Amino acid sequence: MDVDNLIIVDAIVAILNYNLYIILIEKSMKPLNLDNSPCSPTSSNCVIWQGPDLACIKLCKGDTVSDVVAKLAAELCTILDQLNVNNYDLTCFNSSACPPVDFQALIQFLINHICALEGVTPNTNPSTSTCPDCVVSIAPCFVIGSQTTMQLTDYVQMIGERVCELITDITGLQLQINNIDARVTVLENTPTAVFTLPSIIVNCTLSPTVLGGSAYPIDTVLNALINDPTNGYCSLIDATGIGADLFSAVSSQCITSSSPTLSNAPTPFGTEYSGTWVSTPTTVADAITNLWIVICDMYDYLSNSTLTVEDTTTVNLTYTSGVLSAAVQDTGWKCLEGFDTFMGTGNSYIYPQVRRIGNQLFFKGDIMVPLVAGGGGPLAWTQSPGSNSYYGVNTVVPFQGTGGVKVNPAGSIAFNWNASSNTNLSVLPASVIPTGYALDGSYIHPSGLKIATRPIDIGNASSILSTLFAITIDSAGILRCSLVKDAEEASVSETGDAFSSSHLNYLVSHVVANEKVPQFAAAGTTVYSDPSSGVQSVDIDFDTRVYPFSCDANDEDEIGGFRTALDGLTAFISPCGTLIPTPTSPCTGCATT
């Protein structure tokens, strides 16, 4: 009873739904070729549904007519499939009669079987049943909560209300379909629209084809803005870097709020420029703001400051007319003090000289031990033969007056003697080492003992006397020459018995006046070799010429006229001070020291 009644109700609902969709389809499926003259056909894809949203078929306002028709057709196909009697299995009725051929016959067949089950015939009343006041099962769409049954009369009442609602909805849908039909007709009769991109006026030149002051389509302007190789966005990215590059550049700021300003040190930038200084820059604009503040601060500092330079021992700085120049501290060659009294000014090729480059001193030229003249003064040095030259005079006594040497009985002499003050003076000119500065220690010529020589006239020929000098200059600038005697005396605790005892005296002249001069190249001289082995005598041939004077060249009182080269001697000024700038032009002659 309950199941059969439910089947009948569901069948009635299905018939109503079927009729509703038939009406919708008929109203919405107006063919395009139906009496469309003289209008041009319009695609259903271009017509928009303006009715309300229909959730039951998932139809939304704004869908195209194509979508509307497709959804209605899909629903219709579903209903037709449900109404196809061939989809229902009726074998459970065990009926020998022909099965129903359509859905209406199916419903009638079901009604007949329900009436038979209830004992109801068209001409009789129902049996003594409690229906319609009976409980029946209801369709799922009528279930409320867990209530799946209800009184038949209530069920029929609810079905009636639902049917009325459907009729009302169908009426509303009919109105909407009529509106859609009218709109579709209008759209079909409307000519196809042609869309034209709008143009805008460009105020600046973006590319050779997009010039400032003219109007261009938006797509042309956009292409120039992005792709122009000069003004385009891509070109800008290549020039400035991407955002990450700019952020990285901003974060590289090395001058912070706490860094002291130059114009008002030690006040920090954050205080001096409070209100404009960006303490925590995050954008390029922030960084540029701080950059300009720093640049302007530097400009104020430099424009209001007087730049001074300070020379060093190696660099001579000069600031003139806004130009800072640096030159190596080079004095050029300067003549040593204390030699002009006897060497004159015409002997610059051998005149002893010194040159300071940085804080290092270089020496060159010859040092001459001055001879005393007949009147007691210094003998002017000349290399020309003659009775009044360093070749021809027969004296060996050094000149010990002012401008001469000081003789030390221990075996040395010191140059630039000042008899008035009874002291040796520095040989270093003030143009090389200013007053108040000194060498950082004593220096000896790197060759150790150097050979010093004195040419002498022996009649119609000449010979050379020799000795050994150890050349030193101390921190006070005192230049000395020490003999072998000085070293020999120091070795035996200043005992005079050791003078002239070392084999170095083979190189030192010990000659006596009127003694013969040896001839080492003579045939009878066997000093250097002998054709026979074993012990042989050493023979030296002597010339007929004689020494014109006596000379012990290992005696400090007898080395006047000896000369040796200074080349190779170097010394250093103490680097602790900053030297006064000195002339950088070289010495052009020893008349100017």
Side-chain angles (χ1 to χ4, degrees), residues 247-463:
F247 284 127
S248 177
V250 171
S251 63
S252 65
Q253 178 174 316
C254 60
I255 298 178
T256 65
S257 297
S258 59
S259 300
T261 60
L262 292 177
S263 61
N264 190 25
T267 304
F269 277 92
T271 302
E272 182 70 14
Y273 300 101
S274 176
T276 56
W277 179 265
V278 182
S279 299
T280 307
T282 58
T283 66
V284 174
D286 294 340
I288 292 176
T289 297
N290 287 353
L291 281 173
W292 273 115
I293 291 175
V294 172
I295 291 173
C296 293
D297 183 82
M298 294 173 59
Y299 176 81
D300 291 341
Y301 171 74
L302 293 175
S303 61
N304 296 319
S305 300
T306 301
L307 182 63
T308 59
V309 297
E310 185 173 315
D311 296 333
T312 68
T313 57
T314 57
V315 177
N316 182 16
L317 295 174
T318 303
Y319 182 74
T320 304
S321 301
V323 177
L324 178 64
S325 60
V328 174
Q329 203 62 289
D330 187 351
T331 64
W333 291 109
K334 304 297 180 181
C335 298
L336 295 184
E337 302 287 351
F339 289 87
D340 56 332
T341 57
F342 60 92
M343 292 194 72
T345 59
N347 304 303
S348 59
Y349 63 98
I350 64 167
Y351 203 103
Q353 300 175 58
V354 64
R355 181 177 196 166
R356 178 169 65 83
I357 300 177
N359 68 335
Q360 186 173 8
L361 274 61
F362 300 87
F363 296 85
K364 75 171 184 177
D366 292 352
I367 52 172
M368 177 74 64
V369 180
L371 282 168
V372 65
L379 179 64
W381 182 87
T382 176
Q383 197 173 3
S384 301
S387 59
N388 198 32
S389 71
Y390 276 55
Y391 278 178
V393 298
N394 295 330
T395 179
V396 295
V397 179
F399 170 64
Q400 299 185 54
T402 298
V405 298
K406 172 64 176 177
V407 174
N408 186 333
S412 66
I413 60 171
F415 291 89
N416 198 17
W417 173 251
N418 188 300
S420 300
S421 61
N422 195 30
T423 184
N424 285 100
L425 303 178
S426 172
V427 298
L428 301 175
S431 58
V432 172
I433 177 169
T435 303
Y437 294 89
L439 302 184
D440 62 359
S442 297
Y443 292 88
I444 185 171
H445 196 286
S447 63
L449 289 170
K450 285 177 57 66
I451 293 179
T453 60
R454 176 183 174 181
I456 60 172
D457 187 358
I458 54 173
N460 60 350
S462 62
S463 184

Side-chain angles (χ1 to χ4, degrees), residues 462-533:
S462 62
S463 184
I464 296 177
L465 300 179
S466 61
T467 189
L468 295 174
F469 283 165
I471 304 172
T472 61
I473 187 166
D474 63 17
S475 59
I478 307 302
L479 182 65
R480 290 184 174 85
C481 288
S482 299
L483 299 170
V484 173
K485 173 184 176 180
D486 185 63
E488 292 172 331
E489 182 182 28
S491 300
V492 292
S493 302
E494 300 184 3
T495 301
D497 295 341
F499 290 168
S500 300
S501 62
S502 66
H503 282 71
L504 290 172
N505 283 274
Y506 283 119
L507 301 176
V508 177
S509 295
H510 296 271
V511 300
V512 178
N514 297 319
E515 287 187 348
K516 302 295 184 182
V517 176
Q519 281 292 323
F520 292 95
T525 297
T526 59
V527 174
Y528 299 108
S529 63
D530 194 281
S532 302
S533 62

